[in-house]
Amino acid sequence: MAIKLDFNKAYDRVEWDFLLELMRRMGFAPKWIQWVSECITTVIFSVFVNREKQAAFTLSHGLRQGDPLSLYLFILVADVLSKLITHNLHRGQLSGFKINRHSPTLSHLLFADDVLLFLKEDQSECLKILDILSSYCIATGQLVNFDKSSVQFSLNVSFPLRGSIRQLSGFRETPVNAKYLGLPTFWRRSKAEAYDFIIERVQAKLQGWKLKLLSHIGQETLIKVVVQAIPSYAMACFIFPKNFCAKLNSLISKFWWNGDPESKGIHWVNWAQLAMPKSEGGLGFRDFHDFNLALVAKQGWRLVKYPNSFCAKMLKGIYFSHSNFMEASRGRCVSWAWASLIQSRKILCNGVRWQVYNGASINFWDDKWIPSLPGFKVSSPKPPISRVSAVVDIIDATHGIWKVEDL
């Protein structure tokens, strides 16, 4: 089962004494701790009524949201909860979630002040996690918001067990239409239907602006800063259908030319030209399909660049346990996220190339590793009598020269 935790006013409840002691235990220099203490404890808030200062007060705990330093300090506090869960996982008191024998155990995920916990459907584990949360909240000042927290069960959990766990934990069950970080918690068969809410959000924004007297500069700013940012997170996870992206492009184009996303007036320039950079004569609007491919390709590049990250280990255990991401096959009956990564991998294949160190992992004949050639790879096929297979085979490591005679 999965538990989504939401802490009530998480930043405002952080205890200063706990934070400063935590920094001492982590080995921060006393001078640095003093600087941090001055930043969080010397803030004065003033109350103004009719532009006149009526009162002023200081806080006894909490971090200021919006302060760049507060984000890092809150991460230190949240890491304590992560360490408590990991410690109990190693002691066998929590089991976590393991997809298969090749993937690592998933016990929790943290995003800002939200926490996702993955537990076995067992009352003892439920009691243990409640005990961990109680200790964490008492020490840090945090408070679980039970109204916004929820629990989600797998399909094979019996209804009596679900009821007993809900009663024991105090969490309500996640509704079918719930969303987390802007994405649906439960997927339907139609992916385009699942993202209708994005179309609705974009239309609502544009409809709210159509009656306002906006200049073209104002329209351009609102489109780029507000509207085109709405689907960014979802587009970084999945490849949307082309007709879905075309519909978003059409709404923006109609609003740009007519001030109304539903109007069918004259479009003096086609969308492809509007989406070109300003240096090339366009307006720099994002084409949603290209933007979608680029965002998902960035996730694929992170798998290549950081193979030891938890996400990379998880995907490797599921889809390419005996190879790497660039060589992995799509497979059958795969998730939408993995199919999207494979589809966007074409962008990486067109641009990435190897940087030679010892050359042990680079295929001499098939990989892209030669900067001076147009395709970055050897154009001639491998001769039948050649014993060279990897770049390391033609490197003289002692003298640092190429062994051309071995080709």
Side-chain angles (χ1 to χ4, degrees), residues 357 394-404:
Y357 289 102
I394 62 166
I395 296 178
D396 187 340
T398 305
H399 300 91
I401 60 175
W402 298 103
K403 297 188 292 184
V404 182

PDB file of all heavy atoms in Angstrom, residues 357 394-404:
ATOM      1  N   TYR A 357      38.194   7.763 -22.719  1.00  0.00           N
ATOM      2  CA  TYR A 357      39.128   7.744 -21.602  1.00  0.00           C
ATOM      3  C   TYR A 357      40.073   6.553 -21.801  1.00  0.00           C
ATOM      4  O   TYR A 357      41.123   6.690 -22.409  1.00  0.00           O
ATOM      5  CB  TYR A 357      38.384   7.667 -20.280  1.00  0.00           C
ATOM      6  CG  TYR A 357      37.656   8.958 -19.937  1.00  0.00           C
ATOM      7  CD1 TYR A 357      36.288   9.080 -20.125  1.00  0.00           C
ATOM      8  CD2 TYR A 357      38.356  10.054 -19.455  1.00  0.00           C
ATOM      9  CE1 TYR A 357      35.629  10.267 -19.827  1.00  0.00           C
ATOM     10  CE2 TYR A 357      37.710  11.243 -19.145  1.00  0.00           C
ATOM     11  CZ  TYR A 357      36.351  11.339 -19.337  1.00  0.00           C
ATOM     12  OH  TYR A 357      35.716  12.514 -19.043  1.00  0.00           O
ATOM     13  N   ILE A 394      43.279  -0.428 -29.572  1.00  0.00           N
ATOM     14  CA  ILE A 394      44.263   0.285 -30.400  1.00  0.00           C
ATOM     15  C   ILE A 394      44.931   1.425 -29.631  1.00  0.00           C
ATOM     16  O   ILE A 394      45.505   2.328 -30.218  1.00  0.00           O
ATOM     17  CB  ILE A 394      43.608   0.842 -31.675  1.00  0.00           C
ATOM     18  CG1 ILE A 394      42.520   1.864 -31.331  1.00  0.00           C
ATOM     19  CG2 ILE A 394      43.042  -0.281 -32.533  1.00  0.00           C
ATOM     20  CD1 ILE A 394      42.084   2.686 -32.524  1.00  0.00           C
ATOM     21  N   ILE A 395      44.833   1.401 -28.307  1.00  0.00           N
ATOM     22  CA  ILE A 395      45.483   2.423 -27.478  1.00  0.00           C
ATOM     23  C   ILE A 395      46.686   1.818 -26.771  1.00  0.00           C
ATOM     24  O   ILE A 395      46.568   0.784 -26.100  1.00  0.00           O
ATOM     25  CB  ILE A 395      44.506   3.011 -26.439  1.00  0.00           C
ATOM     26  CG1 ILE A 395      43.349   3.746 -27.126  1.00  0.00           C
ATOM     27  CG2 ILE A 395      45.235   3.957 -25.488  1.00  0.00           C
ATOM     28  CD1 ILE A 395      42.327   4.307 -26.165  1.00  0.00           C
ATOM     29  N   ASP A 396      47.821   2.461 -26.937  1.00  0.00           N
ATOM     30  CA  ASP A 396      49.030   2.080 -26.195  1.00  0.00           C
ATOM     31  C   ASP A 396      49.025   2.887 -24.897  1.00  0.00           C
ATOM     32  O   ASP A 396      49.401   4.062 -24.886  1.00  0.00           O
ATOM     33  CB  ASP A 396      50.280   2.366 -27.023  1.00  0.00           C
ATOM     34  CG  ASP A 396      51.556   1.837 -26.366  1.00  0.00           C
ATOM     35  OD1 ASP A 396      51.535   1.597 -25.131  1.00  0.00           O
ATOM     36  OD2 ASP A 396      52.564   1.670 -27.065  1.00  0.00           O
ATOM     37  N   ALA A 397      48.559   2.270 -23.806  1.00  0.00           N
ATOM     38  CA  ALA A 397      48.413   2.991 -22.544  1.00  0.00           C
ATOM     39  C   ALA A 397      49.752   3.431 -21.976  1.00  0.00           C
ATOM     40  O   ALA A 397      49.838   4.430 -21.255  1.00  0.00           O
ATOM     41  CB  ALA A 397      47.680   2.111 -21.537  1.00  0.00           C
ATOM     42  N   THR A 398      50.827   2.721 -22.290  1.00  0.00           N
ATOM     43  CA  THR A 398      52.148   3.062 -21.747  1.00  0.00           C
ATOM     44  C   THR A 398      52.682   4.353 -22.332  1.00  0.00           C
ATOM     45  O   THR A 398      53.159   5.248 -21.606  1.00  0.00           O
ATOM     46  CB  THR A 398      53.142   1.925 -22.007  1.00  0.00           C
ATOM     47  OG1 THR A 398      52.608   0.708 -21.471  1.00  0.00           O
ATOM     48  CG2 THR A 398      54.493   2.233 -21.363  1.00  0.00           C
ATOM     49  N   HIS A 399      52.578   4.499 -23.662  1.00  0.00           N
ATOM     50  CA  HIS A 399      53.140   5.672 -24.334  1.00  0.00           C
ATOM     51  C   HIS A 399      52.069   6.698 -24.714  1.00  0.00           C
ATOM     52  O   HIS A 399      52.405   7.785 -25.200  1.00  0.00           O
ATOM     53  CB  HIS A 399      53.906   5.240 -25.594  1.00  0.00           C
ATOM     54  CG  HIS A 399      55.035   4.302 -25.314  1.00  0.00           C
ATOM     55  ND1 HIS A 399      54.884   2.928 -25.327  1.00  0.00           N
ATOM     56  CD2 HIS A 399      56.337   4.544 -24.990  1.00  0.00           C
ATOM     57  CE1 HIS A 399      56.052   2.355 -25.048  1.00  0.00           C
ATOM     58  NE2 HIS A 399      56.954   3.316 -24.832  1.00  0.00           N
ATOM     59  N   GLY A 400      50.797   6.356 -24.527  1.00  0.00           N
ATOM     60  CA  GLY A 400      49.729   7.299 -24.834  1.00  0.00           C
ATOM     61  C   GLY A 400      49.587   7.590 -26.312  1.00  0.00           C
ATOM     62  O   GLY A 400      49.334   8.741 -26.691  1.00  0.00           O
ATOM     63  N   ILE A 401      49.740   6.579 -27.166  1.00  0.00           N
ATOM     64  CA  ILE A 401      49.635   6.749 -28.603  1.00  0.00           C
ATOM     65  C   ILE A 401      48.690   5.696 -29.176  1.00  0.00           C
ATOM     66  O   ILE A 401      48.341   4.717 -28.509  1.00  0.00           O
ATOM     67  CB  ILE A 401      51.006   6.667 -29.293  1.00  0.00           C
ATOM     68  CG1 ILE A 401      51.641   5.284 -29.006  1.00  0.00           C
ATOM     69  CG2 ILE A 401      51.925   7.784 -28.815  1.00  0.00           C
ATOM     70  CD1 ILE A 401      52.943   5.073 -29.736  1.00  0.00           C
ATOM     71  N   TRP A 402      48.274   5.925 -30.443  1.00  0.00           N
ATOM     72  CA  TRP A 402      47.409   4.967 -31.125  1.00  0.00           C
ATOM     73  C   TRP A 402      48.249   3.849 -31.728  1.00  0.00           C
ATOM     74  O   TRP A 402      49.307   4.091 -32.310  1.00  0.00           O
ATOM     75  CB  TRP A 402      46.607   5.645 -32.236  1.00  0.00           C
ATOM     76  CG  TRP A 402      45.669   6.714 -31.771  1.00  0.00           C
ATOM     77  CD1 TRP A 402      45.878   8.067 -31.878  1.00  0.00           C
ATOM     78  CD2 TRP A 402      44.413   6.543 -31.144  1.00  0.00           C
ATOM     79  NE1 TRP A 402      44.804   8.748 -31.342  1.00  0.00           N
ATOM     80  CE2 TRP A 402      43.887   7.830 -30.884  1.00  0.00           C
ATOM     81  CE3 TRP A 402      43.666   5.425 -30.773  1.00  0.00           C
ATOM     82  CZ2 TRP A 402      42.681   8.033 -30.268  1.00  0.00           C
ATOM     83  CZ3 TRP A 402      42.445   5.623 -30.168  1.00  0.00           C
ATOM     84  CH2 TRP A 402      41.962   6.908 -29.911  1.00  0.00           C
ATOM     85  N   LYS A 403      47.768   2.641 -31.654  1.00  0.00           N
ATOM     86  CA  LYS A 403      48.424   1.473 -32.262  1.00  0.00           C
ATOM     87  C   LYS A 403      47.784   1.239 -33.633  1.00  0.00           C
ATOM     88  O   LYS A 403      46.981   0.335 -33.830  1.00  0.00           O
ATOM     89  CB  LYS A 403      48.301   0.249 -31.371  1.00  0.00           C
ATOM     90  CG  LYS A 403      48.985   0.398 -30.021  1.00  0.00           C
ATOM     91  CD  LYS A 403      49.015  -0.905 -29.247  1.00  0.00           C
ATOM     92  CE  LYS A 403      47.637  -1.319 -28.813  1.00  0.00           C
ATOM     93  NZ  LYS A 403      47.675  -2.549 -27.977  1.00  0.00           N
ATOM     94  N   VAL A 404      48.189   2.105 -34.588  1.00  0.00           N
ATOM     95  CA  VAL A 404      47.572   2.062 -35.911  1.00  0.00           C
ATOM     96  C   VAL A 404      47.867   0.752 -36.632  1.00  0.00           C
ATOM     97  O   VAL A 404      47.057   0.257 -37.418  1.00  0.00           O
ATOM     98  CB  VAL A 404      48.072   3.250 -36.749  1.00  0.00           C
ATOM     99  CG1 VAL A 404      47.419   3.285 -38.112  1.00  0.00           C
ATOM    100  CG2 VAL A 404      47.822   4.571 -36.030  1.00  0.00           C
TER     101      VAL A 404
END
